[in-house]
């Protein structure tokens, strides 16, 4: 290499260093400027001016956060300042200062937090990041209805409480369309016909990806043996969305520590024959089934249909009826860990 060539190379190197340094400096400067007028500070100052209620400690401009029972930090209250203020429930109070609507119910924000239901990035103080699906630029579909219902499955049996109709519809579609045959949801999750992958492990995918998996399975996996559900779903946008809500719910972590989910588990595991031992399979006692599945399938499951005079003795198969065992495959669509 000649001296002249070397010289131009050195000069090029120096110029690119200078450009890189300038770029870094301007990024740093931008950060300084931005934190100087961080949106949460501006919002808190405005909130204190207009809505301060004079309670001690409430008039400082500080980061406000909940440490939730899922051991997460949610800083959403840094901007959403009036969530628990009954006096700010009116529609005329602008977001993010307005009190939470009735959907919050008896859930305590200091335990449940916000991201358990709304998704988003709990630690973020930038509104765009806080409202987004972690690692992406799109708004988290769990932020609002109807997709927020996927979150209810973290703590509730789908359909157990009001406000989960779409999630429950999705669970029924999952059973009715036969997804369970190839994607079983029992503990372990994998297997079934055709070795469909464990859908509880696919991680949070965008809605487009999930929809493509249903309508055009070979697009995500060339050579996929999964049948297309175009015919069943394309003309049923509401049903499709409910199924997507249910699929979204499968990958969310469960929060048994702060939820009501575990309550019915021991009952589910009990053989039906322990109670249904009377004439025609009738059960004694005052218990009433609340299981939406058993209620809807009661015609098929009623013991008296086949065991006209009392259920057989429970000795041989441990008390498990082949019919109810067959249905038990379906229980895990709503009940965890079966
Ligand atoms: C930096 C301030 C800030 C933070 C942090 C923040 N938000 Fe917001 N949020 C806003 C503002 C401002 C609005 C109203 C304007 C808008 O829709 O963007 C809003 C709107 C919303 C809405 C209503 C959206 C709609 O279209 O009706 C929801 C739901 C919401 N936020 C949830 C959250 C959750 C959950 C978190 C925590 C993960 C959070 N926000 C963190 C400022 C914030
Ligand atoms: C138990 C689940 C749950 C929890 C916990 C929860 N939300 Fe919500 N939130 C909802 C649902 C459901 C809606 C939608 C209501 C509707 O549109 O029918 C909603 C609506 C909202 C809205 C829009 C309100 C409006 O007036 O348009 C905001 C903002 C919001 N939530 C913020 C929060 C923040 C901040 C927290 C944490 C303090 C929180 N939420 C905790 C379930 C929850
Ligand atoms: C982090 C766990 C958690 C999540 C997520 C959650 N819940 Fe709950 N929910 C609870 C707990 C705990 C109770 C208290 C009831 C109990 O003792 O079983 C409850 C009670 C309820 C109740 C009874 C009345 C009331 O308002 O307190 C309703 C209705 C309800 N939840 C609806 C929902 C809906 C709808 C969603 C999804 C948008 C949801 N929950 C998400 C934990 C949760
Ligand atoms: C005949 C068996 C079969 C049926 C029925 C079936 N699937 Fe699949 N599914 C598969 C297989 C196999 C794959 C993996 C594709 C591959 O690797 O070839 C897959 C892949 C998927 C994926 C993508 C998983 C990932 O890792 O990205 C989703 C989501 C999915 N299926 C959902 C469903 C839903 C929802 C239904 C019911 C509407 C359903 N499947 C019915 C066999 C099936
Ligand atoms: C803890 C006791 C208990 C267990 C366990 C139990 N049941 Fe029941 N079941 C009852 C009672 C009580 C009734 C209402 C009285 C009756 O119809 O005999 C009932 C009613 C029913 C009915 C009739 C509902 C109707 O509206 O016609 C069906 C079907 C049924 N049970 C199915 C099952 C199945 C399937 C299992 C096992 C997965 C099961 N039960 C486990 C106590 C139980
Ligand atoms: C479509 C969703 C769904 C499916 C599938 C499902 N369950 Fe349930 N199950 C529920 C709901 C909702 C409740 C009410 C929970 C509550 O109120 O706390 C429930 C409650 C129960 C209870 C508690 C007693 C009662 O009736 O309240 C038992 C036992 C039970 N289910 C058994 C089963 C069995 C066994 C299967 C499979 C054969 C099954 N469930 C499938 C939704 C479902
Ligand atoms: C569609 C028909 C059908 C219905 C409905 C049905 N069973 Fe069965 N059940 C069978 C058959 C078939 C067998 C096996 C025949 C045998 O071994 O005598 C069986 C066997 C059993 C056994 C003996 C299992 C063993 O240990 O050998 C029990 C216990 C039992 N059923 C309980 C129930 C109960 C409780 C219900 C109602 C919740 C019920 N069955 C509903 C068809 C049915």
């Amino acid at each position: 290499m000649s001296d002249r060539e070397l010289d131009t190379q050195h000069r090029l190197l120096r110029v690119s260093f200078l450009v890189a340094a300038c770029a870094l400096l301007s990024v740093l400067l931008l950060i300084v400027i931005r934190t100087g007028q961080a949106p949460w500070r501006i919002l808190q100052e405005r909130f204190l001016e207009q809505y301060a209620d004079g309670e001690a400690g409430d008039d400082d401009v500080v980061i406000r956060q909940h440490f939730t029972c899922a051991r997460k930090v949610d800083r959403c209250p840094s901007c959403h300042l009036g969530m628990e203020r009954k006096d700010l429930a009116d529609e005329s109070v602008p977001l993010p200062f307005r009190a939470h609507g009735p959907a919050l119910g008896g859930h305590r924000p200091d335990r449940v937090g916000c991201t358990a239901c709304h998704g988003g990035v709990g630690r973020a103080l930038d509104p765009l990041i806080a409202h987004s699906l972690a690692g992406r630029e799109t708004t988290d579909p769990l932020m609002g209805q109807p997709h927020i219902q996927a979150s209810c499955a973290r703590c509730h049996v789908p359909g157990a409480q009001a406000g989960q109709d779409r999630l429950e519809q999705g669970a029924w579609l999952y059973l009715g369309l036969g997804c369970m045959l190839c994607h079983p949801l029992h503990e372990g999750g994998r297997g079934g016909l055709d070795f469909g992958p464990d859908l509880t492990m696919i991680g949070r995918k965008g809605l487009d990806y999930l929809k493509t998996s249903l309508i055009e399975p070979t697009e995500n996996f060339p050579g996929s043996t999964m049948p297309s559900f175009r015919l069943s779903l394309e003309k049923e946008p509401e049903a499709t969305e409910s199924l997507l809500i249910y699929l979204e719910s499968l990958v969310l972590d469960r929060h048994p520590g702060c939820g009501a989910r575990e309550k019915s588990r021991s009952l589910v595991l009990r053989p039906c024959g322990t109670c249904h031992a009377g004439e025609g399979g009738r059960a004694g006692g005052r218990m009433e089934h609340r299981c939406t599945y058993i209620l809807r399938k009661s015609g098929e499951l009623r013991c008296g249909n086949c065991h006209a005079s009392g259920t057989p003795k429970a000795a041989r198969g441990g008390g498990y009826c082949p019919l109810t065992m067959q249905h038990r495959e379906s229980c895990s669509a709503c009940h965890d860990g079966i």
Side-chain angles (χ1 to χ4, degrees):
M1 214 181 272
S2 75
D3 275 358
R4 251 187 65 185
E5 273 174 331
L6 260 178
D7 210 37
T8 35
Q9 271 204 346
H10 275 154
R11 209 174 312 149
L12 228 97
L13 213 67
R14 263 201 305 265
V15 170
S16 43
F17 255 121
L18 204 71
V19 170
C22 284
L24 191 71
L25 204 71
S26 48
V27 167
L28 283 174
L29 212 67
L30 206 71
I31 290 174
V32 170
I33 291 173
R34 288 195 58 166
T35 42
Q37 37 173 253
W40 67 270
R41 281 184 183 277
I42 299 172
L43 286 166
Q44 281 200 21
E45 276 159 14
R46 205 184 308 156
F47 182 82
L48 290 172
E49 253 170 52
Q50 289 180 287
Y51 304 112
D53 61 359
E55 277 190 34
D58 273 3
D59 48 0
D60 299 331
V61 175
V62 288
I63 291 176
R64 290 159 203 262
Q65 52 197 9
H66 294 310
F67 295 93
T68 72
C69 48
R71 297 189 186 162
K72 293 214 164 126
V73 176
D74 282 0
R75 292 177 170 160
C76 322
S78 298
C79 298
H80 290 272
L81 292 144
M83 285 285 113
E84 293 171 88
R85 286 266 303 270
K86 292 203 176 67
D87 56 320
L88 301 183
D90 199 81
E91 286 277 328
S92 64
V93 178
L95 281 176
F97 301 153
R98 196 187 305 150
H100 203 285
L104 189 58
H107 302 92
R108 286 171 47 191
D110 61 327
R111 278 183 52 73
V112 172
C114 312
T115 51
C117 286
H118 284 283
V121 179
R123 281 178 174 275
L125 287 167
D126 179 309
L128 284 180
I129 300 175
H131 298 152
S132 72
L133 187 62
R136 287 167 214 241
E137 282 171 18
T138 44
T139 303
D140 194 326
L142 302 186
M143 271 298 149
Q145 290 285 14
H147 288 268
I148 193 170
Q149 293 186 20
S151 307
C152 314
R154 286 186 201 272
C155 304
H156 295 293
V157 175
Q161 300 283 6
Q164 305 173 20
D165 49 320
R166 300 295 295 277
L167 174 68
E168 194 189 346
Q169 188 191 12
W172 276 104
L173 283 164
Y174 193 82
L175 294 171
L177 292 172
C179 315
M180 197 74 182
L181 293 174
C182 297
H183 303 286
L185 300 168
H186 332 139
E187 265 168 332
R190 230 195 132 78
L193 285 171
D194 242 357
F195 296 99
D198 182 353
L199 295 184
T200 63
M201 303 291 280
I202 61 174
R204 288 197 68 188
K205 309 267 185 191
L207 292 174
D208 290 340
Y209 178 96
L210 288 176
K211 203 166 168 186
T212 304
S213 294
L214 302 179
I215 305 289
E216 207 59 77
T218 49
E219 214 160 282
N220 292 338
F221 292 97
S224 174
T225 47
M226 174 166 150
S228 161
F229 286 84
R230 183 189 293 280
L231 279 180
S232 321
L233 296 175
E234 206 164 51
K235 293 206 177 72
E236 304 283 346
E238 188 180 311
T240 308
E241 196 175 38
S242 296
L243 184 58
L244 293 177
I245 291 168
Y246 179 70
L247 290 179
E248 284 177 289
S249 81
L250 291 176
V251 302
L252 299 176
D253 51 343
R254 303 314 196 212
H255 291 177
C258 37
R261 213 163 208 280
E262 299 286 287
K263 259 201 301 195
S264 57
R265 195 170 158 193
S266 58
L267 265 174
V268 175
L269 292 172
R270 224 187 284 175
C272 318
T274 46
C275 300
H276 289 276
E279 199 179 321
R282 269 215 309 281
R286 278 178 296 138
M287 179 227 173
E288 226 181 282
H289 277 293
R290 279 170 303 155
C291 178
T292 53
Y293 179 88
I294 289 176
L295 293 178
R296 261 170 81 168
K297 292 269 184 178
S298 63
E300 214 177 299
L301 287 171
R302 214 167 275 129
C303 321
N305 290 348
C306 304
H307 302 287
S309 56
T311 50
K313 287 239 159 12
R316 264 180 300 133
Y320 292 105
C321 170
L323 173 89
T324 55
M325 283 312 278
Q326 189 188 317
H327 280 273
R328 190 154 252 161
E329 298 272 295
S330 305
C331 311
S332 53
C334 296
H335 296 277
D336 264 353
I338 296 170

